[in-house]
């Protein structure tokens, strides 16, 4: 009866730990720094992220700037349905966006990171395509936290069911 919880909980914990190990490995390897230049923007899921072009070992690479999180605040008013400003990045590396009935993410992106803006790019000298734009993350990926939590709950449930069954 506890086998399904154990069989689904352990793989989730293992995958969460692999994600954490992968990010730590990437952080340890990204020791070289170069300058990247904003060339475009990526849009999707209420997000706008700058795309940078950088050069390492004589070759050009592209990287999309990622954030720790994204918070979108919606303010819908019939008198002013258009929103094209108010975006910022907090000290905790969270992108804050303001949205309305009609939101111009391109204008927000161009205000935050005009094309041609310089940003540091931290990359792995052995594999320059492995990189971080603007900053090296100092947090655990949210996906890893979620997988570890769900896996731990499932293992705890298996343990609790096992104990309950011994007293029946």
């Amino acid at each position: 009866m506890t086998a399904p919880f154990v069989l689904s909980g352990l793989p989730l914990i293992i995958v969460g730990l692999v994600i954490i190990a992968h990010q730590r490995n990437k952080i340890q390897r990204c020791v070289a720094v170069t300058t990247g230049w904003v060339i475009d923007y990526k849009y999707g899921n209420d997000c706008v992220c700058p795309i940078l072009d950088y050069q390492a070992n004589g070759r050009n690479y592209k990287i999309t700037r990622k954030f720790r999180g994204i918070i979108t605040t919606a303010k819908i008013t019939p008198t002013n349905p258009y929103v094209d400003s108010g975006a910022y990045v907090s000290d905790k590396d969270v992108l804050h966006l303001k949205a309305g009935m009609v939101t111009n993410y391109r204008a927000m992106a161009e205000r935050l990171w005009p094309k041609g803006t310089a940003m540091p790019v931290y990359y792995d000298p052995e594999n320059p395509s492995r990189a971080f734009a603007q900053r090296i993350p100092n947090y655990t990926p949210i996906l890893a936290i979620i997988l570890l939590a769900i896996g731990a709950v499932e293992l705890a449930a298996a343990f609790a069911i096992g104990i309950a069954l011994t007293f029946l």
Side-chain angles (χ1 to χ4, degrees):
M1 181 152 212
T2 63
F5 290 107
V6 173
L7 291 176
S8 61
L10 278 177
L12 291 175
I13 289 174
I14 290 168
V15 170
L17 292 173
V18 166
I19 291 171
I20 292 169
H22 176 70
Q23 179 166 323
R24 286 187 180 163
N25 182 32
K26 184 177 175 182
I27 288 169
Q28 288 175 350
R29 291 177 177 270
C30 291
V31 295
V33 182
T34 189
T35 300
W37 307 94
V38 176
I39 58 167
D40 205 356
Y41 310 100
K42 179 179 178 184
Y43 306 97
N45 299 333
D46 287 333
C47 177
V48 57
C49 303
I51 298 173
L52 286 79
D53 184 53
Y54 66 99
Q55 192 174 56
N57 299 342
R59 292 187 61 204
N60 285 346
Y61 298 91
K62 289 184 173 95
I63 185 168
T64 301
R65 165 77 161 93
K66 293 186 171 76
F67 300 94
R68 180 178 190 173
I70 301 162
I71 297 175
T72 303
T73 306
K75 184 176 182 183
I76 299 173
T77 59
T79 57
N80 188 14
Y82 302 102
V83 177
D84 66 356
S85 64
Y88 67 95
V89 179
S90 70
D91 293 339
K92 294 186 178 183
D93 200 28
V94 175
L95 176 63
H96 294 261
L97 298 172
K98 294 190 178 180
M101 288 171 50
V102 178
T103 304
N104 188 341
Y105 287 114
R106 177 169 294 284
M108 283 187 192
E110 289 172 352
R111 281 195 179 105
L112 276 175
W113 312 284
K115 287 187 180 177
T117 300
M119 280 187 204
V121 175
Y122 303 88
Y123 68 94
D124 178 354
E126 294 177 19
N127 182 1
S129 65
R130 187 181 307 159
F132 295 106
Q134 195 168 19
R135 64 190 327 174
I136 294 176
N138 61 353
Y139 53 85
T140 304
I142 190 70
L143 178 61
I145 293 169
I146 292 169
L147 292 174
L148 289 171
I150 293 171
V153 167
E154 290 190 8
L155 286 180
F159 182 72
I161 291 169
I163 289 176
L165 290 175
T166 60
F167 289 112
L168 292 179

